[in-house]
């Protein structure tokens, strides 16, 4: 099955077959190997969701503003977005298991820093560290899955990850709400609680995950990595601060956008010339990769940008406690769990996947459109239906975009292709959260000013009610002002979903043009060995 090994010192773009483990793994072996991976993913999901219901309390306790609320969310997304391509590239060069353990270790450090934060500055920095670790988990989890599981069987196991995602997303807000509502624990335990799970994941990965160590001469593109991170950060900082710290049409906007565009243009030049680019530009010649990348970007904008503020809507507009707010997100998560699991099983059985991409995009668009009709008086029953529709659409679409791309690239580019999709989805989420957060703050202020004037209440009370720069404590407000605040947040949240809907519609257009191809029946390791056998040795030097 294997060809004679290449000379030990000869660098090759594909590792020699003799260094691979191309044998097919049984279901039991795969599940054992995935245990640590699933524990790691659970940690990353828990970190993001456990904070969601606690965030209004955290921001109020630290005396921070609405813009700080957005930054605590954005900081993690920004770090994750900027580092995903780097982790993906490193996975093509170094041992994936060690990289996973390193990302989990960074996550532990960030969680401890966040838990001990006594100011919003340190909290935001700790979220950057957490985001860097989460970037590794985001990129590497799906790379490792593709390395050991053939695309034709991947749908079934992707359903398991969908279950982990659902449990983490359901448990996170619920646990976060309980921790905040428990006086002798408090919001700091929202960060501490993930540390034992992260340490467990590190141990499980060490014991269960067996991947070949690739030994080859590598050239790390430090300049390209710096230019990509700097360019992306400049643009994301712009969309995060514009509308809050400075006007959209201002010299700061001009400086950040020009700097970001120039840095990314320089990155394109560097990436096109280096032998080991962080993002291989030639993968975009693949139609499937290009279209799934565009769809992932749009899904990130639509889903993350719209749903990240739902917890704030539950607590401020509907007046619910953090614990109840966690329970209220159940319909969306259950919809995601059921659709991702069922779609994965059917895809593995039939080998047909495009219909689920198209159906998922249609249903997601419908869910966002329905959520754009909510207000402070929307019943929970109706809200549950709308959220379930959105969850069903996302469950069918998001994971299967990655499956389509992984199925259509050479095994040597699995890490790059997977990280590119994760990168653009995260970037879409960061842009959506930042821009829609600015829209929310502006819309809330406008609606509250209008409501206060209509009620004959002096607008000087607006700052105290949270309509200015602060997040309101709804329980402490007088009844007339409380009604105005609830209405303002209800209208503003509905507007966010209305803005997100066209992005979901564009994602539908992108997936319609993806060409369905048969799913491969060999794993990434097996394909890598076959490609190594077929490829001539690369010239030395």
């Amino acid at each position: 099955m294997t060809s004679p090994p290449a000379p030990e010192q000869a660098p090759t773009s594909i590792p020699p077959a003799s260094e691979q483990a191309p044998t097919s793994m049984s279901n039991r072996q795969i599940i054992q190997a995935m245990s640590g991976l699933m524990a790691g993913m659970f940690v990353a999901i828990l970190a993001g969701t456990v904070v969601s219901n606690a965030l209004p309390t955290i921001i109020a306790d630290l005396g921070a503003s609405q813009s700080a609320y957005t930054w605590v969310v954005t900081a993690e997304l920004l770090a994750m977005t900027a580092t995903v391509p780097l982790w993906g590239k490193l996975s093509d060069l170094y041992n994936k298991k060690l990289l996973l353990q390193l990302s989990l270790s960074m996550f532990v450090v960030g969680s401890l820093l966040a838990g001990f934060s006594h100011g919003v500055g340190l909290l935001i920095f700790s979220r950057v560290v957490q985001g860097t670790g989460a970037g590794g988990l985001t990129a590497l989890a799906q790379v490792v899955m593709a390395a050991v599981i053939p695309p034709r069987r991947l749908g079934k196991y992707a359903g398991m990850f969908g279950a982990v995602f659902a449990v983490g997303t359901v448990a996170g807000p619920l646990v976060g709400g309980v921790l905040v509502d428990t006086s002798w624990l408090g919001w700091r335990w929202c960060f501490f609680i993930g540390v034992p799970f992260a340490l467990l994941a590190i141990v499980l990965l060490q014991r269960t995950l067996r991947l070949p160590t690739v030994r080859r001469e590598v050239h790390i593109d430090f300049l390209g990595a710096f230019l990509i991170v700097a360019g992306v950060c400049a643009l994301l900082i712009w969309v995060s601060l514009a509308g809050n710290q400075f006007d959209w049409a201002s010299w700061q906007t001009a400086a950040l956008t020009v700097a970001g565009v120039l840095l990314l243009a320089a990155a394109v030049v560097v990436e096109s010339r280096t032998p080991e680019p962080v993002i291989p530009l030639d993968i975009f010649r693949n139609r499937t990769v290009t279209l799934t990348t565009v769809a992932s970007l749009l899904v990130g904008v639509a889903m993350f940008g719209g749903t990240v503020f739902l917890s704030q809507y539950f607590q401020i507009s509907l007046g619910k406690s953090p614990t109840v707010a966690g329970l209220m997100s159940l319909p969306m998560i259950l919809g995601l769990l059921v659709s991702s699991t069922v779609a994965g099983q059917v895809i593995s059985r039939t080998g047909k996947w495009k219909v689920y991409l198209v159906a998922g995009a249609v249903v997601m668009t419908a869910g966002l459109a329905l959520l754009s009709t909510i207000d402070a008086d929307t019943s929970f029953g109706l809200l549950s239906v709308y959220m379930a529709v959105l969850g069903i659409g996302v469950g069918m679409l998001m994971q299967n975009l990655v499956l389509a791309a992984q199925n259509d690239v050479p095994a040597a580019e699995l890490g790059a292709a997977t990280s590119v999709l994760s990168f653009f989805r995260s970037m879409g989420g960061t842009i959506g959260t930042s821009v829609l957060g600015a829209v929310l703050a502006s819309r809330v202020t406008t609606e509250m000013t209008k409501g206060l004037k209509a009620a004959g209440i002096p607008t000087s009370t607006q700052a105290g009610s949270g309509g200015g720069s602060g997040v309101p404590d709804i329980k402490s407000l007088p009844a007339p002002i409380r009604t105005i605040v609830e209405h303002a947040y209800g209208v503003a949240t509905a507007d966010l979903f209305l803005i997100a809907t066209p992005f979901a519609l564009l994602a539908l257009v992108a997936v319609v043009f993806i060409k369905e191809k048969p799913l491969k029946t060999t794993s990434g390791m097996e394909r890598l060995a076959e490609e190594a056998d077929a490829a001539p040795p690369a010239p030395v030097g």
Side-chain angles (χ1 to χ4, degrees), residues 8-62:
E8 186 174 349
Q9 299 300 319
T12 61
S13 58
I14 301 175
S18 59
E19 294 181 7
Q20 303 304 310
T23 56
S24 180
M25 298 174 67
S26 68
N27 289 341
R28 180 178 179 181
Q29 289 173 322
I30 290 174
I31 292 173
Q32 288 177 338
M34 294 295 102
S35 60
L37 201 56
M38 288 189 287
M41 287 298 294
F42 179 76
V43 166
I45 295 162
L46 191 67
T49 58
V50 76
V51 177
S52 59
N53 282 336
L55 206 47
T57 302
I58 295 172
I59 296 301
D61 187 53
L62 296 178

Side-chain angles (χ1 to χ4, degrees), residues 40 43 99-108 133 137 198 201-202 205:
V43 166
L99 291 173
L100 275 168
Q101 292 172 316
L102 175 61
S103 64
L104 282 164
S105 300
M106 295 187 68
F107 186 85
V108 168
L137 292 167
I202 292 173
L205 285 169

Side-chain angles (χ1 to χ4, degrees), residues 175-189:
V175 170
V178 171
L179 291 173
V180 169
D181 290 340
T182 304
S183 59
W184 53 276
L185 289 173
W187 62 262
R188 297 183 186 279
W189 280 94

Side-chain angles (χ1 to χ4, degrees), residues 49-393:
T49 58
V50 76
V51 177
S52 59
N53 282 336
L55 206 47
T57 302
I58 295 172
I59 296 301
D61 187 53
L62 296 178
S65 65
Q66 175 68 53
S67 61
Y69 183 106
T70 302
W71 261 110
V72 171
V73 177
T74 303
E76 185 185 26
L77 285 172
L78 177 64
M80 182 171 67
T81 301
T83 57
V84 158
L86 308 184
W87 288 108
K89 183 59 185 177
L90 290 173
S91 74
D92 286 333
L93 303 178
Y94 297 110
N95 186 281
K96 297 175 181 62
K97 181 169 76 173
L98 292 179
L99 291 173
L100 275 168
Q101 292 172 316
L102 175 61
S103 64
L104 282 164
S105 300
M106 295 187 68
F107 186 85
V108 168
V109 171
S111 297
L112 292 174
L113 285 175
F116 288 114
S117 297
H118 287 279
V120 74
L122 180 58
L123 178 62
I124 290 172
F125 172 76
S126 68
R127 296 289 282 173
V128 171
V129 179
Q130 277 189 315
T132 303
L137 292 167
T138 300
L140 296 168
Q142 301 196 67
V143 173
V144 170
M145 284 178 66
V148 300
I149 307 172
R152 181 62 187 265
R153 298 167 61 194
L154 193 56
K156 179 167 59 176
Y157 296 99
M160 293 174 57
F161 273 81
V164 172
F165 181 88
V167 170
T169 312
V170 170
L174 194 55
V175 170
V178 171
L179 291 173
V180 169
D181 290 340
T182 304
S183 59
W184 53 276
L185 289 173
W187 62 262
R188 297 183 186 279
W189 280 94
C190 292
F191 299 103
F192 294 145
I193 196 170
V195 173
F197 291 101
L199 296 175
L200 174 64
I202 292 173
V203 174
L204 286 174
L205 285 169
Q206 183 63 34
R207 297 188 62 179
T208 64
L209 188 59
R210 298 287 182 267
L211 292 173
T213 300
V214 176
R215 295 182 178 86
R216 64 185 179 104
E217 184 178 326
V218 296
H219 304 276
I220 301 177
D221 179 20
F222 290 108
L223 177 59
F226 168 77
L227 292 171
I228 290 171
V229 171
V232 169
C233 286
L235 294 178
L236 293 182
I237 288 172
W238 164 57
V239 298
S240 299
L241 299 182
N244 283 319
Q245 305 299 321
F246 51 81
D247 293 332
W248 287 98
S250 63
W251 69 266
Q252 293 97 330
T253 289
L256 287 169
T257 53
V258 169
V261 170
L262 290 177
L263 286 165
L264 291 177
V268 170
V269 173
V270 171
E271 295 295 273
S272 65
R273 296 179 178 178
T274 186
E276 293 281 3
V278 175
I279 300 178
L281 300 180
D282 58 354
I283 68 170
F284 291 109
R285 296 174 185 171
N286 183 307
R287 175 178 169 179
T288 302
V289 171
T290 301
L291 289 172
T292 53
T293 298
V294 171
S296 294
L297 173 69
L298 295 168
V299 168
V301 174
M303 191 193 78
F304 292 107
T307 58
V308 73
F309 297 102
L310 266 178
S311 177
Q312 200 173 33
Y313 164 76
F314 294 149
Q315 294 182 57
I316 297 176
S317 189
L318 302 185
K320 306 299 182 183
S321 69
T323 302
V324 174
L327 290 170
M328 290 181 74
S329 64
L330 279 173
M332 183 169 64
I333 305 310
L334 291 175
L336 190 152
L337 168 62
V338 171
S339 66
S340 65
T341 303
V342 172
Q345 293 285 346
V346 176
I347 288 171
S348 291
R349 190 178 304 119
T350 65
K352 303 294 183 182
W353 50 266
K354 182 176 177 179
V355 63
Y356 299 99
L357 291 183
V358 175
V362 170
V363 176
M364 183 179 75
T365 303
L368 289 168
L370 290 170
L371 284 166
S372 70
T373 65
I374 64 175
D375 56 29
D377 299 318
T378 302
S379 69
F380 177 63
L382 200 57
L383 188 62
S384 298
V385 173
Y386 296 168
M387 289 191 295
V389 171
L390 178 60
I392 289 169

